[in-house]
Amino acid sequence: KVTGAAPVQILFNVQNQMSVSIVVDDAYSVTRDGKKIVPAGTPLSGDLTARETAFVQAKDTSAPATGVLLHDVDVTNGDNNGTLLIWGFVDLNKLDTTTAALITATRKSEMKNITFLK
């Protein structure tokens, strides 16, 4: 038996946002209930003109952040579809502490169209 739940909502304002569909790479994930999950709010790097190529976790200047993952993505069985926030307002209080720590000053400067609030 599988019980569904509402997705994690990381937006400060759900009406003012722009997001696009992407493929999420399974290399970075956390384990929850025996599944590999890339958490909502994870900064990802990729090419917006080639969104069928998997986006990876933004780590350094060689992989700058393009946006943040809007909802949790299950990558237990490999790369999977997700939604990338490219413009909007993210409530940092809604991110788990591990994911919030990924939103560094460098990541923020790379995502000029996303405002992070508390």
Side-chain angles (χ1 to χ4, degrees):
K1 178 178 176 182
V2 175
T3 303
V8 173
Q9 179 55 262
I10 65 167
L11 294 175
F12 190 84
N13 181 327
V14 296
Q15 294 176 334
N16 294 314
Q17 60 98 9
M18 175 62 70
S19 55
V20 295
S21 61
I22 61 166
V23 175
V24 179
D25 188 84
D26 66 346
Y28 170 77
S29 65
V30 297
T31 302
R32 289 188 197 152
D33 299 322
K35 295 182 179 183
K36 291 173 53 178
I37 303 293
V38 180
T42 300
L44 297 178
S45 177
D47 184 351
L48 290 173
T49 63
R51 297 188 329 261
E52 65 282 353
T53 302
F55 278 57
V56 299
Q57 180 190 13
K59 294 182 183 179
D60 51 37
T61 55
S62 67
T66 308
V68 295
L69 195 58
L70 191 55
H71 302 288
D72 291 349
V73 174
D74 184 344
V75 292
T76 303
N77 296 318
D79 298 352
N80 205 349
N81 295 330
T83 306
L84 186 74
L85 179 74
I86 57 173
W87 178 83
F89 304 89
V90 174
D91 186 344
L92 291 170
N93 291 322
K94 294 180 180 178
L95 303 181
D96 63 66
T97 54
T98 303
T99 305
L102 300 175
I103 309 294
T104 63
T106 300
R107 298 288 83 83
K108 288 178 185 178
S109 70
E110 294 166 346
M111 299 179 284
K112 296 180 184 350
N113 294 322
I114 299 175
T115 301
F116 296 90
L117 306 161
K118 275 194 172 189

mmCIF file with all atom_site columns, all heavy atoms in Angstrom, residues 62-80:
data_model
loop_
_atom_site.group_PDB
_atom_site.id
_atom_site.type_symbol
_atom_site.label_atom_id
_atom_site.label_alt_id
_atom_site.label_comp_id
_atom_site.label_asym_id
_atom_site.label_entity_id
_atom_site.label_seq_id
_atom_site.pdbx_PDB_ins_code
_atom_site.Cartn_x
_atom_site.Cartn_y
_atom_site.Cartn_z
_atom_site.occupancy
_atom_site.B_iso_or_equiv
_atom_site.pdbx_formal_charge
_atom_site.auth_seq_id
_atom_site.auth_comp_id
_atom_site.auth_asym_id
_atom_site.auth_atom_id
_atom_site.pdbx_PDB_model_num
ATOM 1   N N   . SER A 1 62 ? 32.357 25.347 -12.176 1.00 0.00 ? 62 SER A N   1
ATOM 2   C CA  . SER A 1 62 ? 32.221 24.520 -13.380 1.00 0.00 ? 62 SER A CA  1
ATOM 3   C C   . SER A 1 62 ? 30.785 24.036 -13.564 1.00 0.00 ? 62 SER A C   1
ATOM 4   O O   . SER A 1 62 ? 30.400 23.622 -14.652 1.00 0.00 ? 62 SER A O   1
ATOM 5   C CB  . SER A 1 62 ? 33.178 23.324 -13.335 1.00 0.00 ? 62 SER A CB  1
ATOM 6   O OG  . SER A 1 62 ? 32.797 22.443 -12.295 1.00 0.00 ? 62 SER A OG  1
ATOM 7   N N   . ALA A 1 63 ? 29.984 24.081 -12.505 1.00 0.00 ? 63 ALA A N   1
ATOM 8   C CA  . ALA A 1 63 ? 28.572 23.685 -12.563 1.00 0.00 ? 63 ALA A CA  1
ATOM 9   C C   . ALA A 1 63 ? 27.752 24.721 -11.799 1.00 0.00 ? 63 ALA A C   1
ATOM 10  O O   . ALA A 1 63 ? 27.220 24.447 -10.731 1.00 0.00 ? 63 ALA A O   1
ATOM 11  C CB  . ALA A 1 63 ? 28.384 22.291 -11.976 1.00 0.00 ? 63 ALA A CB  1
ATOM 12  N N   . PRO A 1 64 ? 27.644 25.965 -12.342 1.00 0.00 ? 64 PRO A N   1
ATOM 13  C CA  . PRO A 1 64 ? 26.895 27.008 -11.634 1.00 0.00 ? 64 PRO A CA  1
ATOM 14  C C   . PRO A 1 64 ? 25.404 26.713 -11.605 1.00 0.00 ? 64 PRO A C   1
ATOM 15  O O   . PRO A 1 64 ? 24.871 26.016 -12.471 1.00 0.00 ? 64 PRO A O   1
ATOM 16  C CB  . PRO A 1 64 ? 27.191 28.268 -12.452 1.00 0.00 ? 64 PRO A CB  1
ATOM 17  C CG  . PRO A 1 64 ? 27.497 27.762 -13.826 1.00 0.00 ? 64 PRO A CG  1
ATOM 18  C CD  . PRO A 1 64 ? 28.167 26.428 -13.625 1.00 0.00 ? 64 PRO A CD  1
ATOM 19  N N   . ALA A 1 65 ? 24.730 27.253 -10.609 1.00 0.00 ? 65 ALA A N   1
ATOM 20  C CA  . ALA A 1 65 ? 23.291 27.015 -10.436 1.00 0.00 ? 65 ALA A CA  1
ATOM 21  C C   . ALA A 1 65 ? 22.495 27.724 -11.523 1.00 0.00 ? 65 ALA A C   1
ATOM 22  O O   . ALA A 1 65 ? 22.707 28.897 -11.798 1.00 0.00 ? 65 ALA A O   1
ATOM 23  C CB  . ALA A 1 65 ? 22.849 27.480 -9.066  1.00 0.00 ? 65 ALA A CB  1
ATOM 24  N N   . THR A 1 66 ? 21.572 26.982 -12.120 1.00 0.00 ? 66 THR A N   1
ATOM 25  C CA  . THR A 1 66 ? 20.642 27.515 -13.109 1.00 0.00 ? 66 THR A CA  1
ATOM 26  C C   . THR A 1 66 ? 19.313 27.840 -12.439 1.00 0.00 ? 66 THR A C   1
ATOM 27  O O   . THR A 1 66 ? 18.607 28.747 -12.841 1.00 0.00 ? 66 THR A O   1
ATOM 28  C CB  . THR A 1 66 ? 20.415 26.475 -14.231 1.00 0.00 ? 66 THR A CB  1
ATOM 29  O OG1 . THR A 1 66 ? 21.673 26.048 -14.732 1.00 0.00 ? 66 THR A OG1 1
ATOM 30  C CG2 . THR A 1 66 ? 19.588 27.049 -15.359 1.00 0.00 ? 66 THR A CG2 1
ATOM 31  N N   . GLY A 1 67 ? 18.955 27.072 -11.410 1.00 0.00 ? 67 GLY A N   1
ATOM 32  C CA  . GLY A 1 67 ? 17.702 27.243 -10.681 1.00 0.00 ? 67 GLY A CA  1
ATOM 33  C C   . GLY A 1 67 ? 17.646 26.255 -9.537  1.00 0.00 ? 67 GLY A C   1
ATOM 34  O O   . GLY A 1 67 ? 18.633 25.564 -9.252  1.00 0.00 ? 67 GLY A O   1
ATOM 35  N N   . VAL A 1 68 ? 16.485 26.192 -8.875  1.00 0.00 ? 68 VAL A N   1
ATOM 36  C CA  . VAL A 1 68 ? 16.312 25.238 -7.778  1.00 0.00 ? 68 VAL A CA  1
ATOM 37  C C   . VAL A 1 68 ? 15.163 24.287 -8.109  1.00 0.00 ? 68 VAL A C   1
ATOM 38  O O   . VAL A 1 68 ? 14.212 24.653 -8.798  1.00 0.00 ? 68 VAL A O   1
ATOM 39  C CB  . VAL A 1 68 ? 16.051 25.926 -6.413  1.00 0.00 ? 68 VAL A CB  1
ATOM 40  C CG1 . VAL A 1 68 ? 17.240 26.734 -5.972  1.00 0.00 ? 68 VAL A CG1 1
ATOM 41  C CG2 . VAL A 1 68 ? 14.810 26.776 -6.437  1.00 0.00 ? 68 VAL A CG2 1
ATOM 42  N N   . LEU A 1 69 ? 15.283 23.085 -7.604  1.00 0.00 ? 69 LEU A N   1
ATOM 43  C CA  . LEU A 1 69 ? 14.261 22.072 -7.820  1.00 0.00 ? 69 LEU A CA  1
ATOM 44  C C   . LEU A 1 69 ? 12.997 22.476 -7.065  1.00 0.00 ? 69 LEU A C   1
ATOM 45  O O   . LEU A 1 69 ? 13.050 22.763 -5.873  1.00 0.00 ? 69 LEU A O   1
ATOM 46  C CB  . LEU A 1 69 ? 14.781 20.726 -7.343  1.00 0.00 ? 69 LEU A CB  1
ATOM 47  C CG  . LEU A 1 69 ? 14.018 19.492 -7.791  1.00 0.00 ? 69 LEU A CG  1
ATOM 48  C CD1 . LEU A 1 69 ? 13.950 19.397 -9.315  1.00 0.00 ? 69 LEU A CD1 1
ATOM 49  C CD2 . LEU A 1 69 ? 14.673 18.244 -7.228  1.00 0.00 ? 69 LEU A CD2 1
ATOM 50  N N   . LEU A 1 70 ? 11.868 22.505 -7.761  1.00 0.00 ? 70 LEU A N   1
ATOM 51  C CA  . LEU A 1 70 ? 10.631 22.990 -7.166  1.00 0.00 ? 70 LEU A CA  1
ATOM 52  C C   . LEU A 1 70 ? 9.969  21.971 -6.238  1.00 0.00 ? 70 LEU A C   1
ATOM 53  O O   . LEU A 1 70 ? 9.382  22.334 -5.220  1.00 0.00 ? 70 LEU A O   1
ATOM 54  C CB  . LEU A 1 70 ? 9.653  23.398 -8.270  1.00 0.00 ? 70 LEU A CB  1
ATOM 55  C CG  . LEU A 1 70 ? 8.412  24.158 -7.844  1.00 0.00 ? 70 LEU A CG  1
ATOM 56  C CD1 . LEU A 1 70 ? 8.748  25.412 -7.047  1.00 0.00 ? 70 LEU A CD1 1
ATOM 57  C CD2 . LEU A 1 70 ? 7.585  24.516 -9.063  1.00 0.00 ? 70 LEU A CD2 1
ATOM 58  N N   . HIS A 1 71 ? 10.070 20.684 -6.573  1.00 0.00 ? 71 HIS A N   1
ATOM 59  C CA  . HIS A 1 71 ? 9.471  19.621 -5.763  1.00 0.00 ? 71 HIS A CA  1
ATOM 60  C C   . HIS A 1 71 ? 10.471 18.476 -5.615  1.00 0.00 ? 71 HIS A C   1
ATOM 61  O O   . HIS A 1 71 ? 11.380 18.336 -6.436  1.00 0.00 ? 71 HIS A O   1
ATOM 62  C CB  . HIS A 1 71 ? 8.193  19.082 -6.416  1.00 0.00 ? 71 HIS A CB  1
ATOM 63  C CG  . HIS A 1 71 ? 7.151  20.122 -6.643  1.00 0.00 ? 71 HIS A CG  1
ATOM 64  N ND1 . HIS A 1 71 ? 6.431  20.678 -5.618  1.00 0.00 ? 71 HIS A ND1 1
ATOM 65  C CD2 . HIS A 1 71 ? 6.703  20.702 -7.776  1.00 0.00 ? 71 HIS A CD2 1
ATOM 66  C CE1 . HIS A 1 71 ? 5.592  21.575 -6.111  1.00 0.00 ? 71 HIS A CE1 1
ATOM 67  N NE2 . HIS A 1 71 ? 5.740  21.601 -7.417  1.00 0.00 ? 71 HIS A NE2 1
ATOM 68  N N   . ASP A 1 72 ? 10.288 17.648 -4.597  1.00 0.00 ? 72 ASP A N   1
ATOM 69  C CA  . ASP A 1 72 ? 11.104 16.447 -4.444  1.00 0.00 ? 72 ASP A CA  1
ATOM 70  C C   . ASP A 1 72 ? 10.970 15.583 -5.699  1.00 0.00 ? 72 ASP A C   1
ATOM 71  O O   . ASP A 1 72 ? 9.885  15.489 -6.283  1.00 0.00 ? 72 ASP A O   1
ATOM 72  C CB  . ASP A 1 72 ? 10.631 15.615 -3.250  1.00 0.00 ? 72 ASP A CB  1
ATOM 73  C CG  . ASP A 1 72 ? 10.892 16.273 -1.905  1.00 0.00 ? 72 ASP A CG  1
ATOM 74  O OD1 . ASP A 1 72 ? 11.622 17.284 -1.849  1.00 0.00 ? 72 ASP A OD1 1
ATOM 75  O OD2 . ASP A 1 72 ? 10.350 15.766 -0.905  1.00 0.00 ? 72 ASP A OD2 1
ATOM 76  N N   . VAL A 1 73 ? 12.088 14.940 -6.098  1.00 0.00 ? 73 VAL A N   1
ATOM 77  C CA  . VAL A 1 73 ? 12.071 14.032 -7.250  1.00 0.00 ? 73 VAL A CA  1
ATOM 78  C C   . VAL A 1 73 ? 12.645 12.692 -6.818  1.00 0.00 ? 73 VAL A C   1
ATOM 79  O O   . VAL A 1 73 ? 13.736 12.623 -6.255  1.00 0.00 ? 73 VAL A O   1
ATOM 80  C CB  . VAL A 1 73 ? 12.878 14.608 -8.439  1.00 0.00 ? 73 VAL A CB  1
ATOM 81  C CG1 . VAL A 1 73 ? 12.976 13.599 -9.567  1.00 0.00 ? 73 VAL A CG1 1
ATOM 82  C CG2 . VAL A 1 73 ? 12.251 15.898 -8.933  1.00 0.00 ? 73 VAL A CG2 1
ATOM 83  N N   . ASP A 1 74 ? 11.916 11.622 -7.093  1.00 0.00 ? 74 ASP A N   1
ATOM 84  C CA  . ASP A 1 74 ? 12.345 10.259 -6.792  1.00 0.00 ? 74 ASP A CA  1
ATOM 85  C C   . ASP A 1 74 ? 13.261 9.779  -7.917  1.00 0.00 ? 74 ASP A C   1
ATOM 86  O O   . ASP A 1 74 ? 12.846 9.661  -9.066  1.00 0.00 ? 74 ASP A O   1
ATOM 87  C CB  . ASP A 1 74 ? 11.122 9.345  -6.671  1.00 0.00 ? 74 ASP A CB  1
ATOM 88  C CG  . ASP A 1 74 ? 11.470 7.927  -6.262  1.00 0.00 ? 74 ASP A CG  1
ATOM 89  O OD1 . ASP A 1 74 ? 12.654 7.527  -6.343  1.00 0.00 ? 74 ASP A OD1 1
ATOM 90  O OD2 . ASP A 1 74 ? 10.540 7.199  -5.865  1.00 0.00 ? 74 ASP A OD2 1
ATOM 91  N N   . VAL A 1 75 ? 14.532 9.529  -7.571  1.00 0.00 ? 75 VAL A N   1
ATOM 92  C CA  . VAL A 1 75 ? 15.506 9.056  -8.561  1.00 0.00 ? 75 VAL A CA  1
ATOM 93  C C   . VAL A 1 75 ? 15.984 7.643  -8.215  1.00 0.00 ? 75 VAL A C   1
ATOM 94  O O   . VAL A 1 75 ? 17.085 7.243  -8.596  1.00 0.00 ? 75 VAL A O   1
ATOM 95  C CB  . VAL A 1 75 ? 16.702 10.036 -8.694  1.00 0.00 ? 75 VAL A CB  1
ATOM 96  C CG1 . VAL A 1 75 ? 16.268 11.351 -9.314  1.00 0.00 ? 75 VAL A CG1 1
ATOM 97  C CG2 . VAL A 1 75 ? 17.381 10.268 -7.349  1.00 0.00 ? 75 VAL A CG2 1
ATOM 98  N N   . THR A 1 76 ? 15.156 6.897  -7.502  1.00 0.00 ? 76 THR A N   1
ATOM 99  C CA  . THR A 1 76 ? 15.511 5.539  -7.095  1.00 0.00 ? 76 THR A CA  1
ATOM 100 C C   . THR A 1 76 ? 15.859 4.671  -8.293  1.00 0.00 ? 76 THR A C   1
ATOM 101 O O   . THR A 1 76 ? 16.802 3.888  -8.251  1.00 0.00 ? 76 THR A O   1
ATOM 102 C CB  . THR A 1 76 ? 14.346 4.895  -6.309  1.00 0.00 ? 76 THR A CB  1
ATOM 103 O OG1 . THR A 1 76 ? 14.037 5.732  -5.197  1.00 0.00 ? 76 THR A OG1 1
ATOM 104 C CG2 . THR A 1 76 ? 14.710 3.508  -5.819  1.00 0.00 ? 76 THR A CG2 1
ATOM 105 N N   . ASN A 1 77 ? 15.117 4.835  -9.379  1.00 0.00 ? 77 ASN A N   1
ATOM 106 C CA  . ASN A 1 77 ? 15.327 4.014  -10.577 1.00 0.00 ? 77 ASN A CA  1
ATOM 107 C C   . ASN A 1 77 ? 16.101 4.746  -11.662 1.00 0.00 ? 77 ASN A C   1
ATOM 108 O O   . ASN A 1 77 ? 16.021 4.398  -12.832 1.00 0.00 ? 77 ASN A O   1
ATOM 109 C CB  . ASN A 1 77 ? 13.976 3.546  -11.127 1.00 0.00 ? 77 ASN A CB  1
ATOM 110 C CG  . ASN A 1 77 ? 13.264 2.651  -10.145 1.00 0.00 ? 77 ASN A CG  1
ATOM 111 O OD1 . ASN A 1 77 ? 13.873 1.792  -9.528  1.00 0.00 ? 77 ASN A OD1 1
ATOM 112 N ND2 . ASN A 1 77 ? 11.979 2.871  -9.966  1.00 0.00 ? 77 ASN A ND2 1
ATOM 113 N N   . GLY A 1 78 ? 16.851 5.782  -11.293 1.00 0.00 ? 78 GLY A N   1
ATOM 114 C CA  . GLY A 1 78 ? 17.654 6.527  -12.262 1.00 0.00 ? 78 GLY A CA  1
ATOM 115 C C   . GLY A 1 78 ? 17.125 7.936  -12.462 1.00 0.00 ? 78 GLY A C   1
ATOM 116 O O   . GLY A 1 78 ? 16.219 8.397  -11.754 1.00 0.00 ? 78 GLY A O   1
ATOM 117 N N   . ASP A 1 79 ? 17.698 8.634  -13.446 1.00 0.00 ? 79 ASP A N   1
ATOM 118 C CA  . ASP A 1 79 ? 17.277 9.995  -13.756 1.00 0.00 ? 79 ASP A CA  1
ATOM 119 C C   . ASP A 1 79 ? 15.766 10.047 -13.919 1.00 0.00 ? 79 ASP A C   1
ATOM 120 O O   . ASP A 1 79 ? 15.157 9.103  -14.423 1.00 0.00 ? 79 ASP A O   1
ATOM 121 C CB  . ASP A 1 79 ? 17.939 10.482 -15.045 1.00 0.00 ? 79 ASP A CB  1
ATOM 122 C CG  . ASP A 1 79 ? 19.466 10.544 -14.953 1.00 0.00 ? 79 ASP A CG  1
ATOM 123 O OD1 . ASP A 1 79 ? 20.011 10.359 -13.859 1.00 0.00 ? 79 ASP A OD1 1
ATOM 124 O OD2 . ASP A 1 79 ? 20.095 10.786 -15.996 1.00 0.00 ? 79 ASP A OD2 1
ATOM 125 N N   . ASN A 1 80 ? 15.163 11.176 -13.501 1.00 0.00 ? 80 ASN A N   1
ATOM 126 C CA  . ASN A 1 80 ? 13.707 11.285 -13.556 1.00 0.00 ? 80 ASN A CA  1
ATOM 127 C C   . ASN A 1 80 ? 13.315 12.723 -13.875 1.00 0.00 ? 80 ASN A C   1
ATOM 128 O O   . ASN A 1 80 ? 14.117 13.647 -13.733 1.00 0.00 ? 80 ASN A O   1
ATOM 129 C CB  . ASN A 1 80 ? 13.097 10.840 -12.222 1.00 0.00 ? 80 ASN A CB  1
ATOM 130 C CG  . ASN A 1 80 ? 11.671 10.357 -12.363 1.00 0.00 ? 80 ASN A CG  1
ATOM 131 O OD1 . ASN A 1 80 ? 11.037 10.514 -13.398 1.00 0.00 ? 80 ASN A OD1 1
ATOM 132 N ND2 . ASN A 1 80 ? 11.158 9.769  -11.289 1.00 0.00 ? 80 ASN A ND2 1
#
